[in-house]
Amino acid sequence: MIRAVIVMNTQGKPRLLKFYDFQPPEKQKELIRSVFAVLSGRPDNVSNFVEADAIFGPGTRLVYKHLATLYFIFVFDNSENELAMLDLIQVFVETMDRCFKNVCELDIVFNFNKMHAIVDEIIFGGQVLETSSEQVMKAVEEISRLEKSSNSISFVPKAVSGRFGR
Amino acid sequence: MEQLKTIGRELAMGSQGGAWAGQSKEFLDLVKSIGEARSKAEEDRIILREIESLRRRIAEPDVPRRRMKDYIIRLVYAEMLGHDASFGYIHAVKMTHDDSLPLKRTGYLAVTLFLNDDHDLIILIINTIQKDLRSDNYLVVCAALTAACKLINEETIPAVLPQVVDLLAHPKETVRKKAVMTLHRFYQRSPASVSHLISNFRKRLCDSDPGVMGATLCPLFDLITEDVNSYKDLVASFASILKQVAERKLPKTYDYHQMPAPFIQIKLLKILALLGSGDKQASGQVYNVLSDLFRKCETSSNIGNAVLYECICCVSSIYPNVKLMDAAIEATSKFLKACPSDSHNLKYMGIDALGRLIKINPDIAEEHQLAVIDCLEDPDDTLKRKTFELLYKMTKSSNVEVIVERMIDYLISIDDNHYKADIASRCVELAEQFAPSNQWFIQTMNKVFEHAGDLVNSRVAHNLMRLIAEGFGEDDEGADSQLRSSAVDSYLRILGEPKLPSLFLQVICWVLGEYGTADGKYTAAYIIGKLCDVTEAHLCNDTVKAYAISAIMKICAFEIAAGRKVEMLPECQSFLDELSASHSTDLQQRAYELQALLCLDSQAAGNVMPLDASCEDVEIDKDLSFLINFVQQSIEKGANPYLPESERLGMSGVSNFSSPYQQEASSHSLRFEAYELPKPSSIPVIPQPFISTSTTDLVLVPDTTYYRENNQASKLIVGPEASSADAGIKLRLDGVQKKWGKPTYSSSSSITTSVEKTTNGVVAHQDGIRSHSRDTTYDSRRQQPEVSVEKQRLAASLFGASASKTEKKATMAQKAPKGNSTNAEKSSVVRSVSPGTSKDKTAPPPDLLDFGEPVPTSAPTIDPFKELEGLIEPASALGPLYNTVKTGGDKAQDLMALHMDTPPSVSRTSLSLASEGTYSTDKSSYTEKPMIAVKKGPNLQDALHKDATARQVGVTPTGNNPNLFRDLLG
């Protein structure tokens, strides 16, 4: 089972948190800090796996991917396969890339409810739901289409977020 | 704070002005300012300000729904950054009731992120979830399922279960898939509540949509993990599904990087590994499809390797097949030899796979030696750890030295305590199992202790001490003493290190005390000097000090027994002085014991501390049968029979002595009762100095009060109460009885007589039984320092020699090489069994245990300790007995007068009984103290007087706050 999905930037600021076992905010903060401490201490060009039993309890591992200014982290127990989880991160990132066209940290910050929608389409209750980014995209687009038609609240337009691009 | 609020208000006003720019303008500003925050503190300030403004605005009446959505999102964001947004939860809950889809989804998103599944607000959402699960819009249904997954707990499952089950037949496959997963989640939460629905998972396995089938594999995996046998019939189906998937029978949309549905394949392989484990027939059905997979898997892509790795795991788990093993070994070596950019990942998987395969065939590791060594030297920490795990699995007596050496090197290099402890325990385990020589074992343990001493279990230290005490060799005394002297040598060398963990210092002190002078290489003075240095150089805790002083005592005893004169080194004397004034009664007692010991002649010292007797069994007469006569006599003389606490409880209201305060309280209540029923007859018996003082005054001076009461109590029992029990005033008798339910001062005073007699050289025991009992208590007390070894021995001897024997066998494993795992299991089983049995067997006779509260055990790991307690306590329970039978009138009077000199010490004893947890078991041995107090005179009294003053100031002395006292007393 997947325990958590974490996206944080390279300064350790959380950008997306999803725990499949409830964690109170203070605990979340602490987990983020310790995960960041581990990840920031790892050199480049090493494996993407970390044994996380000191942080998340016995038998847990985490797989992370470092892309640009972000860490994508999946925490899971021994019923999952490390390499497969690495590919699941890939699916997640690909989907976001399709969604936002050249995804960057700011997209994630400004659209984090959409991010949650994407994660919910990939992982459901801690289990892998869908691994095709195309299918995930379809589902997410369907949601936004229906949302638009029922109510005209749109997500933050790209142009606005672009203003703050660095 | 006030200022912050105004800033927040201004900010809010300002941003309201710019609200035209769009719904989320403020949110964007927030994110932007957080992004630009230069420090954590600044970020926190911004968020707090934001929360403050949200708190105000969210509570305003008639907030537009859209704006509310924005607020909620900002709250989610604030909470993600670790700030409390609980004031907004209710609004998020309200939002789930909204009809508009985006608002509802936002509401659900917020509540799933905010709320725990047993949060009070959940009850307000359940109705909404129920309604939404029946919605026509499948997106609403999906949102509700997501929320149900997160928020529904064991109690609320029945409320939504029917709807979820209905959804298993929903026309949309996404919904069916999510419904299956929600049921799975329910199963994880509470297996019982969905147990009648398990057949649904099997049914859904045949769903027309492969996605739904894939989703059912997750719950089935869990179910099969729980109970393999009920699903053996599915092996063929799983194998055929896997075959079809591998042969690309699924629609193209399930392909991922040219692999057909890899996640489904992985899940299937995991399930088959479970089902085929140890089952030849089931495994037979899987062989074909596995060899197909090995052939087809392309190793160029990440996901291909994932499937391949899963195949290896499956092969290593099912009934072995030579052909498949070869394929697996080949695949593993491909992983290990991989050198593309992500080679670390593959190497990691390769090491892991190797670890699985060597369980079946230990030889295959050899051809990958070099790759493994490479991984060991890799900069990647994860890979290194995985490799150590592999090494741990493949340790044999032939390679243990190398592997443990490597592990220790690594242990030294890391500073992650969690993993350090892990590695240390593995080192210990391997060393215990495969040690090639005693020398090596001790050196290894020393290293482990030196670098991870505070992280290893204290059991390990006790094992080491016992090993040194018992030796490895069955009969070879020479080898044993060689072992000991080499241990002593190494410890003397190690003591030069600047910083040593406390557990290790304990071991060192014990060994030096026991064997430091055994081989005559070092003089007693040298060892004692070293021991004193230990306590000075290392900031050590009371336990180490206790070990050190006991070690010094042993050495002194050995010296005296050997007829040599012991000269007190100045540093030793100052150490002794320090301890005699210590706030820890345990340390104090040890110091007094040492002082007492120094006065003994050689034969007595030899008897008190026999040389190398740590392995001797201490015989303890639990039932105190030797006292029966004595008790009988006393009862005949009119003493009250001993009543167990339970019965005494029935007799009077005050009985709980669980804390010093309570004891104090009960003594107060005792006084009150005494006042209501004044009894003149008791007054004359009160010793002279106190006659004039009225009892109320005494409340202010606790020390004397206690003492007074002691006298009173003893008098009362000896005099009116005991002899004419029928005439005695009931109430008061109860109170007194209560107070002295615990062995306290007066028991010690009575024992003191005999002690004094002995020390004065008068060998004639005035009362045989009494002195006998003193010996017992003294003996058991003396055993305290060696308790760590003793208790293990005790456990071993009690639960069959098996414990120690297996232990030994394990350590000597090189003689009879065995499958390491079984060996390890064996010893660990024995080890784990013994504590449990020890408890069962040694439940001490409850009526003898006078203390209502369980004596806190300072060393939780050691169960035999409990047992020792049980054995000692009966001795201490003698207190009340002594009390009741106190030698008739005049003699006691003399005694009292004698002890008049040292009231503080007396009171300390009675107080410390309750306040000192650890060694409260051997109370009766406090007998020594008053005697020495009398003898030593001013110095001691000073210290005790200080203590008394401290107590008057209102602080209860415990071992924990000596500094506090220093401050108070200047």
Side-chain angles (χ1 to χ4, degrees):
Chain A
M1 165 183 181
I2 297 168
R3 299 283 181 86
V5 173
I6 301 170
V7 179
M8 66 165 95
N9 72 3
T10 38
Q11 277 114 53
K13 269 185 202 157
R15 291 307 184 202
L16 177 92
L17 297 180
K18 219 168 170 75
F19 291 93
Y20 291 95
D21 301 320
F22 180 81
Q23 307 282 359
E26 315 81 57
K27 178 80 179 155
Q28 290 186 7
K29 228 174 167 178
E30 188 193 318
L31 293 174
I32 294 291
R33 211 178 302 122
S34 28
V35 168
F36 179 69
V38 171
L39 293 192
S40 58
R42 287 176 66 80
D44 293 339
N45 299 323
V46 293
S47 67
N48 302 81
F49 314 137
V50 176
E51 273 159 36
D53 41 2
I55 307 172
F56 291 95
T60 51
R61 286 163 289 175
L62 65 82
V63 164
Y64 70 99
K65 207 157 193 165
H66 184 180
L67 294 172
T69 56
L70 291 173
Y71 285 117
F72 294 84
I73 302 146
F74 282 21
V75 185
F76 53 92
D77 60 21
N78 50 16
S79 67
E80 307 288 341
N81 174 315
E82 281 99 335
L83 287 173
M85 284 300 117
L86 195 58
D87 265 52
L88 203 61
I89 296 184
Q90 188 61 34
V91 172
F92 180 40
V93 176
E94 268 174 34
T95 314
M96 282 190 302
D97 214 38
R98 280 167 190 250
C99 203
F100 301 112
K101 320 254 174 335
N102 284 325
V103 64
C104 71
E105 189 179 339
L106 277 169
D107 293 321
I108 292 171
V109 176
F110 291 129
N111 295 299
F112 83 87
N113 49 350
K114 192 163 192 173
M115 294 270 294
H116 277 288
I118 293 172
V119 175
D120 282 345
E121 288 304 317
I122 297 176
I123 300 165
F124 188 90
Q127 303 292 343
V128 182
L129 178 73
E130 180 59 67
T131 55
S132 150
S133 61
E134 231 166 288
Q135 296 293 322
V136 177
M137 264 313 286
K138 264 188 209 162
V140 173
E141 272 165 8
E142 180 95 352
I143 291 168
S144 20
R145 198 173 49 76
L146 276 173
E147 284 190 348
K148 264 182 203 145
S149 65
S150 73
N151 198 317
S152 59
I153 299 170
S154 64
F155 291 109
V156 181
K158 183 82 181 167
V160 178
S161 64
R163 288 207 321 233
F164 303 109
R166 292 169 200 177
Chain B
M1 198 59 215
E2 196 50 47
Q3 202 182 358
L4 265 181
K5 269 185 194 159
T6 42
I7 293 172
R9 210 166 294 136
E10 277 166 19
L11 188 105
M13 308 269 257
S15 52
Q16 258 167 353
W20 56 271
Q23 198 51 242
S24 291
K25 170 83 168 66
E26 291 164 38
F27 176 59
L28 297 189
D29 286 342
L30 169 69
V31 174
K32 186 163 170 266
S33 56
I34 289 171
E36 285 163 358
R38 265 177 230 95
S39 66
K40 185 79 190 142
E42 195 180 338
E43 183 193 304
D44 283 348
R45 218 158 42 233
I46 294 168
I47 292 282
L48 284 175
R49 205 161 57 200
E50 174 72 15
I51 287 181
E52 212 44 58
S53 94
L54 281 174
R55 190 199 299 276
R56 220 164 357 87
R57 292 163 63 187
I58 213 164
E60 282 168 10
D62 302 329
V63 180
R65 283 151 66 211
R66 289 194 202 165
R67 179 159 297 213
M68 187 56 100
K69 181 191 168 197
D70 187 47
Y71 291 162
I72 298 283
I73 286 182
R74 277 145 72 182
L75 282 178
V76 173
Y77 190 79
E79 193 152 289
M80 181 176 79
L81 292 174
H83 296 267
D84 177 50
S86 48
F87 63 88
Y89 292 176
I90 184 67
H91 299 279
V93 171
K94 265 194 233 159
M95 190 161 272
T96 60
H97 306 333
D98 204 292
D99 287 331
S100 128
L101 180 63
L103 292 185
K104 190 185 271 298
R105 282 183 56 88
T106 308
Y108 273 132
L109 172 66
V111 290
T112 52
L113 292 172
F114 284 153
L115 302 184
N116 190 356
D117 65 0
D118 50 14
H119 196 279
D120 295 339
L121 292 175
I122 296 289
I123 206 74
L124 298 176
I125 306 175
I126 288 180
N127 203 16
T128 323
I129 292 180
Q130 276 179 330
K131 205 179 80 214
D132 288 345
L133 286 175
R134 281 191 233 104
S135 165
D136 293 335
N137 186 339
Y138 84 96
L139 284 176
V140 173
V141 177
C142 283
L145 280 173
T146 312
C149 224
K150 187 76 196 287
L151 300 176
I152 300 294
N153 65 14
E154 197 173 342
E155 286 163 33
T156 42
I157 284 175
V160 294
L161 196 57
Q163 284 93 327
V164 176
V165 174
D166 288 348
L167 289 175
L168 288 174
H170 197 274
K172 270 268 186 202
E173 72 276 354
T174 335
V175 177
R176 290 206 299 273
K177 213 151 91 174
K178 288 186 178 175
V180 167
M181 289 177 143
T182 310
L183 274 186
H184 178 206
R185 188 68 175 166
F186 289 170
Y187 172 77
Q188 286 178 329
R189 285 270 155 76
S190 143
S193 64
V194 290
S195 55
H196 58 290
L197 296 168
I198 282 172
S199 61
N200 278 300
F201 293 134
R202 281 171 180 255
K203 240 184 269 165
R204 283 299 122 200
L205 198 58
C206 317
D207 197 283
S208 56
D209 183 79
V212 181
M213 181 274 295
T216 52
L217 293 178
C218 303
L220 282 173
F221 176 75
D222 276 11
L223 287 167
I224 292 169
T225 315
E226 294 276 308
D227 173 21
V228 181
N229 290 326
S230 337
Y231 295 87
K232 292 281 187 194
D233 57 316
L234 287 178
V235 175
S237 329
F238 286 131
S240 94
I241 294 172
L242 183 56
K243 197 166 159 63
Q244 291 176 49
V245 173
E247 284 169 359
R248 298 176 184 275
K249 296 270 169 70
L250 293 187
K252 270 267 176 276
T253 45
Y254 288 91
D255 281 10
Y256 176 82
H257 291 227
Q258 280 90 51
M259 278 291 285
F263 283 83
I264 292 180
Q265 290 193 40
I266 289 170
K267 261 276 131 54
L268 280 169
L269 282 166
K270 277 188 185 293
I271 290 174
L272 288 173
L274 286 176
L275 287 171
S277 169
D279 184 339
K280 194 173 180 181
Q281 200 233 328
S283 305
Q285 296 172 287
V286 192
Y287 288 156
N288 266 337
V289 65
L290 274 177
S291 58
D292 273 6
L293 281 176
F294 272 120
R295 229 172 326 111
K296 279 184 187 155
C297 264
E298 44 163 330
T299 50
S300 56
S301 72
N302 191 38
I303 196 73
N305 285 321
V307 175
L308 199 55
Y309 165 78
E310 216 51 67
C311 289
I312 299 172
C313 293
C314 189
V315 168
S316 69
S317 161
I318 63 174
Y319 193 85
N321 171 291
V322 181
K323 235 176 76 192
L324 285 177
M325 266 306 268
D326 289 346
I329 291 169
E330 195 192 329
T332 308
S333 57
K334 256 188 232 162
F335 281 159
L336 286 171
K337 285 173 193 150
C339 52
S341 57
D342 56 348
S343 67
H344 280 99
N345 289 346
L346 290 185
K347 273 184 186 159
Y348 175 89
M349 301 315 269
I351 294 281
D352 188 81
L354 198 59
R356 289 166 191 272
L357 291 176
I358 57 164
K359 273 187 214 153
I360 300 170
N361 181 2
D363 300 333
I364 60 166
E366 271 160 40
E367 48 183 292
H368 299 296
Q369 282 171 9
L370 286 178
V372 173
I373 298 295
D374 277 352
C375 292
L376 208 53
E377 269 147 24
D378 201 274
D380 183 357
D381 217 39
T382 315
L383 190 53
K384 234 186 228 173
R385 288 179 192 190
K386 199 78 195 172
T387 316
F388 275 116
E389 211 178 297
L390 172 70
L391 290 181
Y392 169 73
K393 282 182 196 154
M394 56 192 255
T395 307
K396 291 182 289 230
S397 50
S398 56
N399 56 12
V400 63
E401 287 172 78
V402 191
I403 288 177
V404 172
E405 194 193 325
R406 281 289 188 151
M407 280 185 167
I408 290 176
D409 286 349
Y410 183 59
L411 178 78
I412 297 168
S413 73
I414 55 174
D415 49 2
D416 169 0
N417 273 353
H418 178 85
Y419 199 60
K420 226 175 180 168
D422 209 36
I423 286 265
S425 68
R426 283 186 174 175
C427 282
V428 171
E429 196 182 313
L430 292 179
E432 281 179 355
Q433 252 184 65
F434 300 109
S437 73
N438 306 337
Q439 207 94 0
W440 180 86
F441 180 77
I442 289 180
Q443 275 167 8
T444 308
M445 297 316 267
N446 288 352
K447 270 189 223 155
V448 172
F449 274 119
E450 209 176 321
H451 298 288
D454 292 327
L455 301 170
V456 292
N457 195 320
S458 58
R459 178 190 64 82
V460 176
H462 299 146
N463 271 350
L464 177 61
M465 285 190 263
R466 187 179 64 184
L467 184 85
I468 294 173
E470 286 180 342
F472 279 94
E474 274 73 40
D475 302 307
D476 193 356
E477 259 312 305
D480 285 356
S481 60
Q482 202 193 341
L483 167 78
R484 288 164 191 164
S485 50
S486 80
V488 170
D489 280 346
S490 63
Y491 289 151
L492 286 174
R493 205 168 46 243
I494 287 168
L495 277 182
E497 299 283 326
K499 199 169 167 289
L500 293 172
S502 131
L503 194 60
F504 191 34
L505 285 173
Q506 290 168 28
V507 176
I508 292 178
C509 287
W510 188 83
V511 171
L512 288 185
E514 200 73 29
Y515 304 111
T517 54
D519 60 354
K521 202 160 143 194
Y522 302 101
T523 64
Y526 178 74
I527 300 281
I528 291 178
K530 279 284 179 189
L531 284 168
C532 292
D533 289 349
V534 168
T535 54
E536 256 169 51
H538 304 278
L539 278 176
C540 49
N541 53 22
D542 283 359
T543 324
V544 177
K545 281 184 186 158
Y547 269 91
I549 187 108
S550 302
I552 293 174
M553 177 156 48
K554 274 182 234 167
I555 290 172
C556 290
F558 301 157
E559 285 298 294
I560 295 171
R564 285 187 287 268
K565 199 172 146 27
V566 181
E567 279 178 40
M568 227 28 180
L569 300 169
E571 65 256 41
C572 183
Q573 189 59 52
S574 67
F575 177 52
L576 202 54
D577 291 343
E578 181 203 326
L579 290 198
S580 5
S582 164
H583 286 291
S584 155
T585 42
D586 174 50
L587 290 183
Q588 241 186 25
Q589 164 155 11
R590 285 166 197 265
Y592 291 137
E593 279 172 6
L594 174 53
Q595 282 168 351
L597 185 101
L598 290 174
C599 311
L600 297 180
D601 63 15
S602 72
Q603 204 191 340
N607 282 335
V608 170
M609 285 280 174
L611 192 60
D612 189 16
S614 61
C615 301
E616 307 296 320
D617 286 327
V618 182
E619 278 184 32
I620 296 164
D621 186 354
K622 250 200 224 176
D623 301 329
L624 305 176
S625 52
F626 53 87
L627 278 175
I628 288 175
N629 275 340
F630 178 65
V631 173
Q632 205 60 47
Q633 279 171 22
S634 310
I635 290 177
E636 275 162 21
K637 276 184 213 157
N640 282 334
Y642 172 74
L643 289 176
E645 198 192 12
S646 51
E647 285 175 45
R648 271 179 286 134
L649 260 175
M651 270 165 65
S652 79
V654 252
S655 63
N656 197 349
F657 290 98
S658 61
S659 83
Y661 305 101
Q662 265 168 313
Q663 185 170 15
E664 200 119 18
S666 69
S667 66
H668 280 302
S669 64
L670 170 77
R671 263 195 301 278
F672 285 135
E673 287 176 30
Y675 258 85
E676 283 156 20
L677 280 166
K679 186 161 191 221
S681 70
S682 72
I683 289 170
V685 220
I686 292 169
Q688 289 304 318
F690 290 114
I691 270 192
S692 54
T693 50
S694 82
T695 340
T696 22
D697 296 336
L698 294 174
V699 183
L700 297 173
V701 194
D703 300 58
T704 40
T705 317
Y706 275 118
Y707 183 56
R708 222 275 291 256
E709 277 179 10
N710 290 336
N711 293 332
Q712 214 169 346
S714 43
K715 286 294 158 193
L716 281 176
I717 289 158
V718 175
E721 308 270 313
S723 52
S724 56
D726 45 346
I729 286 162
K730 201 69 197 164
L731 256 180
R732 171 185 275 191
L733 177 63
D734 291 351
V736 170
Q737 196 70 2
K738 213 67 274 161
K739 173 115 177 75
W740 297 103
K742 286 194 161 200
T744 38
Y745 157 67
S746 67
S747 74
S748 68
S749 79
S750 77
I751 293 170
T752 320
T753 26
S754 58
V755 174
E756 249 177 319
K757 291 251 153 72
T758 353
T759 46
N760 288 343
V762 186
V763 195
H765 297 304
Q766 174 208 31
D767 185 333
I769 301 165
R770 192 186 299 159
S771 66
H772 188 169
S773 81
R774 176 187 60 87
D775 285 345
T776 333
T777 52
Y778 189 77
D779 255 17
S780 52
R781 183 65 196 79
R782 179 175 59 79
Q783 292 305 329
Q784 207 63 58
E786 297 130 350
V787 98
S788 42
V789 174
E790 281 306 318
K791 63 198 157 199
Q792 297 197 352
R793 275 194 50 79
L794 211 57
S797 58
L798 265 179
F799 314 117
S802 60
S804 62
K805 263 184 197 155
T806 350
E807 200 72 52
K808 251 184 199 168
K809 214 185 282 166
T811 46
M812 303 297 284
Q814 81 276 20
K815 280 182 189 162
K818 266 186 196 171
N820 45 3
S821 59
T822 49
N823 215 340
E825 247 166 44
K826 207 171 172 188
S827 57
S828 70
V829 162
V830 172
R831 228 174 280 145
S832 64
V833 160
S834 47
T837 9
S838 91
K839 256 183 208 149
D840 293 344
K841 281 196 182 175
T842 63
D847 48 346
L848 281 177
L849 293 184
D850 212 25
F851 320 110
E853 76 279 8
V855 182
T857 37
S858 61
T861 41
I862 353 154
D863 296 278
F865 187 37
K866 268 227 152 68
E867 164 158 72
L868 208 73
E869 258 170 36
L871 298 179
I872 295 169
E873 274 185 54
S876 62
L878 285 175
L881 273 182
Y882 278 131
N883 205 355
T884 47
V885 289
K886 247 190 65 54
T887 43
D890 33 354
K891 204 164 234 172
Q893 192 101 28
D894 292 347
L895 248 170
M896 287 305 152
L898 186 71
H899 287 292
M900 228 62 245
D901 299 339
T902 61
S905 84
V906 165
S907 74
R908 150 177 276 282
T909 331
S910 59
L911 247 194
S912 59
L913 285 179
S915 63
E916 260 293 305
T918 323
Y919 288 106
S920 57
T921 45
D922 18 55
K923 256 139 238 176
S924 33
S925 53
Y926 281 104
T927 48
E928 300 280 288
K929 220 171 287 167
M931 166 196 76
I932 292 161
V934 173
K935 264 201 328 209
K936 279 292 271 189
N939 181 13
L940 226 179
Q941 211 136 16
D942 232 356
L944 292 170
H945 190 72
K946 267 188 188 175
D947 200 45
T949 333
R951 209 173 298 113
Q952 274 175 0
V953 177
V955 201
T956 319
T958 64
N960 298 334
N961 54 355
N963 289 333
L964 176 65
F965 280 93
R966 216 159 287 147
D967 295 341
L968 276 174
L969 303 167

